[in-house]
Amino acid sequence: MNGCQIAIGEWHDVLMHEWPRWATEQVHVQPPHVEWQRGARLCRELDATLSRWLVAPTEHVGSTAVPGLAAKPVIDVQTAVETRLGLAFTLAI
């Protein structure tokens, strides 16, 4: 070995420490909630704010976008914007 010995359990602790809390916390799927419908309103607000750079409308994506589906209580939206170089890329918020 090269003098660097670390147990597998310690690697887990090191790797998990590097991740943001939201990426490692336990997932709690919940029954459908009326508040998830605000994704459409959020998309309209983002379209108005980002209209100068948008190359496609903002979309409510993910499990909360499906009416009647149990999901994590996180509203995911996605859009495509143009960069200063004229390149388009997808932005997930």
Side-chain angles (χ1 to χ4, degrees), residues 28 32 35 50 52 54 59 63 71 74 76 81 83 85:
H28 298 282
E35 182 64 19
L50 301 173
R52 179 176 172 185
L54 291 180
E59 297 182 67
S63 53
V74 175
D76 300 304
V81 295
T83 68
L85 300 174

Side-chain angles (χ1 to χ4, degrees), residues 1-6 11:
M1 290 233 134
N2 61 8
C4 178
Q5 295 181 355
I6 187 166
W11 270 117

Side-chain angles (χ1 to χ4, degrees), residues 33-88:
H33 193 278
V34 69
E35 182 64 19
W36 296 348
Q37 295 173 4
R38 73 185 173 110
R41 186 181 72 239
L42 177 60
C43 290
R44 287 191 302 274
E45 291 171 2
L46 285 170
D47 283 348
T49 302
L50 301 173
S51 62
R52 179 176 172 185
W53 301 281
L54 291 180
V55 295
T58 305
E59 297 182 67
H60 181 190
V61 298
S63 53
T64 58
V66 181
L69 184 66
K72 295 182 300 181
V74 175
I75 296 177
D76 300 304
V77 297
Q78 178 175 311
T79 194
V81 295
E82 187 173 332
T83 68
R84 291 185 331 176
L85 300 174
L87 305 171

